[in-house]
Amino acid sequence: MEKSPQTDWLIYCRPGFEQDCVQEALRQARMQKPVIAEQPLIQPCSGYVIVSLNDQSLNYHQLIFARQLVQLHHSISSLPERDRLTPILEVVSTLPGKFGTLWLEVPDTNEGKLVSNFTRRFQALLETALRRQGILEDQAQEMRNSLPRLHCFFPDKSSVLIGTSNLRNSADAIMGIVRQSMPAEAPSRSTMKLSEAIAVFMDRSQQARLLRQGMHAVDLGAAPGGWTWQLIKRGIRVTAVDNGPMKGPLANHPLVQHIRQDGFKFVPRKAVDWLVCDMVEKPSRVATLIGDWFAAGWCKHSIFNLKLPMKQRLTAIDSALGEIRKRLDEEGINYLMVAKQLYHDREEVTVFLTRTKQ
Ligand SMILES: C[S@@+](CC[C@H](N)C(=O)[O-])C[C@H]1O[C@@H](n2cnc3c(N)ncnc32)[C@H](O)[C@@H]1O
């Protein structure tokens, strides 16, 4: 039997979630063709995995635990300390085509942070050399935007994994991290989770269409108010449901109505545009709640968190998302649902769910 060509995929993830990341990628691949190439061992807490597939492909947007998806072409494991440039240039010059962007990346670990001091200095050197050779495009932004990216990922200072990413099947952010800054007025760091979710799940035009001044949102588990703050700053009126206090500017804000009630029992008086939910609860319980809200027509769009259990994390998320899908399908609701473990998510994943037209 003829052997199919093997492709290695380099996937970045949150350190500690390598097993979930591999498990999920293999499952996606097996749905296309059941036979998978042999898998290398996972390095726990390394912040990345390499998955070898036969002729299956991976869809970045449908992977929850993948921060970035890179097709791996070469690895060099003993870069000379005095000249790392030459061996990298040699390898990159064998790759077909040109590249729009060069990203030098490291794992999101303490070791990675140490290596990033080096990559920051090395970036300009490698970029200049690649431009001189015509490998890295030097043209206008529009041209660069249509070419694949070149990734040089340094697990440590003496090794590099060299790969490419397709702009439509990857994250548009270095290290797959859509960084957020902490707004001084926001009452909690959780605010960055919602701002990241908005940036990751919606492009600019969707943000403008779906998050408009004058809309109404319900925030379940709102205190101290980081998520509510993201909504009111966009001019959205918020009913904030939590037995705990809202803090800072939100304690007495004209766009915020604070209701001290159990979020699982709260019923809106009128349908709202948005339901956001950050209550620390079992994923299955949150899934039922979200299904109920959409089935009752109480909201059109939602961003919510599913907290991960200690074990069988992928199974728990699968079952929660499966429950929501089943409920919406039974109700004949058309929808789009995307889930990701965001940079600001620790033991949780964030889900965006929106009704779509027929
Ligand atoms: C992680 S915090 C939310 C942080 C908030 N999103 C922010 O940005 O500041 C979880 C909140 O959910 C609330 N909570 C947990 N269970 C709840 C319930 N059944 N009903 C209402 N609130 C609940 C807690 O009181 C807590 O304030």
Side-chain angles (χ1 to χ4, degrees):
M1 201 168 76
E2 206 176 301
K3 200 169 172 287
S4 1
Q6 187 172 309
T7 306
D8 292 334
W9 295 94
L10 167 64
I11 311 178
Y12 311 162
C13 64
R14 184 177 187 86
F17 289 81
E18 295 76 14
Q19 187 67 49
D20 311 83
C21 188
V22 165
Q23 212 185 329
E24 189 188 22
L26 294 183
R27 184 188 58 184
Q28 195 186 83
R30 281 199 187 98
M31 273 152 62
Q32 299 156 46
K33 285 198 182 141
V35 183
I36 300 282
E38 203 179 314
Q39 293 309 308
L41 288 175
I42 293 167
Q43 238 180 295
C45 293
S46 59
Y48 70 98
V49 296
I50 297 170
V51 173
S52 306
L53 300 179
N54 295 323
D55 48 3
Q56 301 99 332
S57 57
L58 291 174
N59 180 329
Y60 165 75
H61 300 284
Q62 287 173 9
L63 291 171
I64 299 170
F65 291 96
R67 281 187 182 171
Q68 184 57 290
L69 179 64
V70 174
Q71 190 173 344
L72 181 60
H73 300 294
H74 290 281
S75 62
I76 309 175
S77 56
S78 50
L79 286 170
E81 205 178 314
R82 287 167 157 244
D83 178 19
R84 294 179 176 91
L85 186 66
T86 308
I88 293 178
L89 281 179
E90 269 172 23
V91 162
V92 172
S93 62
T94 66
L95 298 176
K98 288 184 175 198
F99 302 99
T101 322
L102 166 71
W103 282 351
L104 265 54
E105 298 168 307
V106 297
D108 180 24
T109 57
N110 288 337
E111 189 171 10
K113 280 194 192 87
L114 298 177
V115 185
S116 65
N117 293 331
F118 150 73
T119 52
R120 267 195 293 276
R121 281 181 276 120
F122 192 54
Q123 172 88 31
L125 198 68
L126 182 56
E127 214 168 85
T128 309
L130 290 174
R131 285 201 205 289
R132 206 175 290 139
Q133 294 195 3
I135 295 171
L136 190 63
E137 193 55 64
D138 207 3
Q139 297 299 311
Q141 189 70 23
E142 307 86 71
M143 172 93 171
R144 289 214 304 267
N145 282 349
S146 62
L147 292 170
R149 293 184 208 99
L150 177 63
H151 298 254
C152 293
F153 179 81
F154 293 81
D156 54 68
K157 270 193 207 169
S158 61
S159 52
V160 62
L161 303 173
I162 298 174
T164 55
S165 67
N166 174 329
L167 268 51
R168 281 184 295 281
N169 193 23
S170 58
D172 187 17
I174 292 189
M175 288 167 64
I177 298 174
V178 179
R179 293 191 186 272
Q180 306 294 308
S181 51
M182 174 66 198
E185 327 83 83
S188 68
R189 293 187 65 76
S190 285
T191 202
M192 291 191 282
K193 262 196 290 185
L194 187 58
S195 62
E196 184 185 353
I198 291 169
V200 167
F201 293 131
M202 289 176 253
D203 62 26
R204 292 244 173 241
S205 78
Q206 283 171 312
Q207 289 177 30
R209 192 163 46 83
L210 299 185
L211 293 159
R212 285 197 318 272
Q213 187 166 7
M215 283 182 156
H216 189 183
V218 169
D219 183 354
L220 300 178
W227 285 32
T228 293
W229 188 86
Q230 285 295 333
L231 297 165
I232 57 151
K233 95 167 185 181
R234 291 170 169 85
I236 297 173
R237 208 154 37 89
V238 181
T239 304
V241 182
D242 201 308
N243 278 315
M246 300 295 279
K247 290 213 175 122
L250 300 184
N252 201 6
H253 194 283
L255 286 178
V256 180
Q257 183 194 18
H258 181 196
I259 297 184
R260 290 180 188 268
Q261 198 188 328
D262 182 344
F264 287 93
K265 299 202 175 121
F266 173 79
V267 173
R269 278 201 284 140
K270 277 207 291 190
V272 295
D273 301 285
W274 276 92
L275 168 66
V276 297
C277 173
D278 190 21
M279 292 188 286
V280 181
E281 253 300 340
K282 281 200 190 111
S284 58
R285 206 167 169 217
V286 174
T288 307
L289 179 78
I290 299 296
D292 287 347
W293 271 71
F294 275 80
W298 291 343
C299 65
K300 295 188 196 115
H301 324 287
S302 180
I303 289 178
F304 56 95
N305 262 330
L306 295 175
K307 311 291 168 192
L308 294 164
M310 299 288 279
K311 288 185 188 159
Q312 302 283 331
R313 299 186 280 214
L314 187 57
T315 312
I317 293 303
D318 272 351
S319 126
L321 296 179
E323 181 184 331
I324 298 173
R325 280 193 197 101
K326 185 165 172 275
R327 183 78 194 276
L328 299 186
D329 291 344
E330 280 167 4
E331 299 288 337
I333 296 171
N334 293 304
Y335 62 91
L336 167 79
M337 183 160 71
V338 200
K340 270 276 168 210
Q341 186 180 39
L342 303 174
Y343 176 64
H344 290 96
D345 284 335
R346 290 171 186 269
E347 301 290 323
E348 62 203 337
V349 304
T350 302
V351 187
F352 170 53
L353 174 60
T354 180
R355 278 174 185 265
T356 52
K357 296 218 172 71
Q358 216 120 30

